[in-house]
Amino acid sequence: LYSGKAIDLENYHTYEEVMAYLADLANTNPIVSTKVGGTTAEGRDIVQLIISTDLSANKPVEFFECNVHAREWITAATCIWIIDQITTGYGSDPEITDLVDKYDWKFVPIANPDGYAYTWSDDRLWRKNRVFINNSACRGVDINRNFPVGFGSPDGGSDSPCSTTYRGEGPLSELESNTIKDLIVADRGRIRSAISVHSYDQQWLSPYGYSIEYPLEYAEMYRVMEIGVNALTATYGTQYTYGSFANALYLGSGVTTDYYYEGEGILHSYTIELRDLGTYGFVLPPDQIVPTAIETWNGIKAFVNAI
Ligand code: ING
Ligand code: ZN
């Protein structure tokens, strides 16, 4: 199925091309492996890419999920660029070598494969997955409204199947959200940070999404968000805002970031909204992939070193 062909990092790629790249990396690089977390309704694997010098050491994990929302193509492209950066930098770039010696790095580059494939074939601006809904002509659940913490609380999602933020029949009703949960549970107790990568709006957001209350450790969260954003902005001057997402953006209930923090006790759990501010929105031109990835990676490195 997979050709094992490398991909260029300056363009967007189909689900199949990305999977071929990940498989090739795992086959050729001794510190890389892949794990199939689950298989979607349409038969696509949800793949986690693992960078680890020693899996048996159970190092602290830096966890990333990307492209939960199908149309946010820059998020998979950025995660793939970062994977390439880490794997090619290990052993030659001292900072990357140190970060890989200390931590395991785990990425789900395309967390919503059916939705992603649909944005290539039919509707570039599709957001949800592609499940059939009983008694409805509309399809798809918003994976980022389908998690247990805050699930169904008012204003942070919709119970209408035709809405782009349809939360689904119940917490973790969706294969994709269950898979993310299983991958988190598999590393329970050693996840040092969990980042949910979205676009667009240029924001670095902490819990809570479902409430305007601030988390107990908000001062610490704010401290590291500021360090991350400052390093990101120092790269090309791209302006980011940061804060708790219910306050900075809008209410969102049943989101991954609240589940990681409140449901799994992961202190450092954030949503990063990548470029831009709306000029191109979800359809960010390919010539912005590499600059977006470079600045984001600078922010993440500074953040990981600060926590
Ligand atoms: N934004 C996120 C969304 O799911 C978000 C932002 C995250 C809001 C968490 C509230 C809580 O709506 C995008 N662009 O998807
Ligand atoms: Zn999103």
Side-chain angles (χ1 to χ4, degrees):
L1 180 59
Y2 301 135
S3 69
K5 203 161 107 266
I7 56 174
D8 68 278
L9 305 172
E10 295 85 32
N11 285 293
Y12 297 112
H13 293 281
T14 64
Y15 169 81
E16 287 76 15
E17 289 168 341
V18 173
M19 293 304 113
Y21 166 73
L22 300 180
D24 183 53
L25 207 54
N27 285 333
T28 55
N29 189 319
I31 66 167
V32 177
S33 57
T34 54
K35 174 176 176 176
V36 177
T39 304
T40 64
E42 294 177 2
R44 296 182 183 88
D45 290 344
I46 299 174
V47 174
Q48 184 183 50
L49 190 287
I50 300 168
I51 305 170
S52 173
T53 61
D54 181 3
L55 284 169
S56 66
N58 289 327
K59 296 179 195 182
V61 171
E62 317 291 353
F63 178 94
F64 299 81
E65 31 96 348
C66 323
N67 241 303
V68 151
H69 288 141
R71 63 193 173 188
E72 300 169 11
W73 288 9
I74 186 59
T75 65
T78 295
C79 288
I80 293 161
W81 188 92
I82 291 173
I83 288 166
D84 175 78
Q85 195 69 16
I86 297 174
T87 52
T88 57
Y90 183 69
S92 57
D93 177 309
E95 186 181 21
I96 288 175
T97 304
D98 177 60
L99 289 170
V100 176
D101 284 338
K102 284 183 178 149
Y103 314 119
D104 287 348
W105 293 77
K106 304 201 178 189
F107 298 83
V108 181
I110 302 180
N112 175 10
D114 293 352
Y116 188 72
Y118 191 68
T119 61
W120 281 80
S121 63
D122 286 82
D123 179 358
R124 175 66 184 81
L125 293 180
W126 189 257
R127 167 177 165 107
K128 304 184 284 182
N129 70 6
R130 289 291 301 158
V131 295
F132 289 97
I133 314 292
N134 282 338
N135 305 314
S136 175
C138 295
R139 287 173 69 167
V141 169
D142 185 346
I143 310 306
N144 207 31
R145 298 293 182 277
N146 191 241
F147 281 79
V149 172
F151 180 88
S153 73
D155 300 330
S158 170
D159 54 20
S160 163
C162 296
S163 165
T164 55
T165 58
Y166 176 49
R167 62 174 70 97
E169 287 199 355
L172 302 175
S173 60
E174 301 312 296
L175 184 285
E176 295 83 354
S177 23
N178 244 290
T179 297
I180 293 171
K181 184 264 296 169
D182 288 345
L183 291 171
I184 290 282
V185 167
D187 288 331
R188 198 174 256 167
R190 63 185 183 103
I191 300 184
R192 189 169 178 270
S193 74
I195 309 280
S196 183
V197 189
H198 287 259
S199 72
Y200 58 93
D201 237 2
Q202 297 177 193
Q203 305 212 39
W204 193 311
L205 305 166
S206 79
Y208 290 106
Y210 76 94
S211 164
I212 58 168
E213 306 277 300
Y214 287 96
L216 199 60
E217 301 89 347
Y218 185 68
E220 170 63 4
M221 296 174 181
Y222 190 87
R223 182 185 73 81
V224 297
M225 285 194 284
E226 184 164 61
I227 289 170
V229 165
N230 285 344
L232 188 157
T233 300
T235 313
Y236 301 117
T238 306
Q239 297 295 311
Y240 262 60
T241 51
Y242 50 102
S244 91
F245 41 48
N247 290 294
L249 197 56
Y250 46 74
L251 283 169
S253 57
V255 301
T256 61
T257 299
D258 285 348
Y259 163 71
Y260 302 152
Y261 169 67
E262 193 175 288
E264 292 289 337
I266 299 167
L267 171 56
H268 289 291
S269 165
Y270 304 93
T271 298
I272 304 182
E273 298 273 358
L274 304 180
R275 293 189 192 187
D276 57 11
L277 289 172
T279 304
Y280 297 103
F282 301 114
V283 193
L284 197 68
D287 65 4
Q288 291 200 41
I289 293 173
V290 173
T292 299
I294 290 174
E295 69 190 7
T296 305
W297 177 228
N298 284 341
I300 287 168
K301 281 188 292 185
F303 152 79
V304 164
N305 283 321
I307 63 181

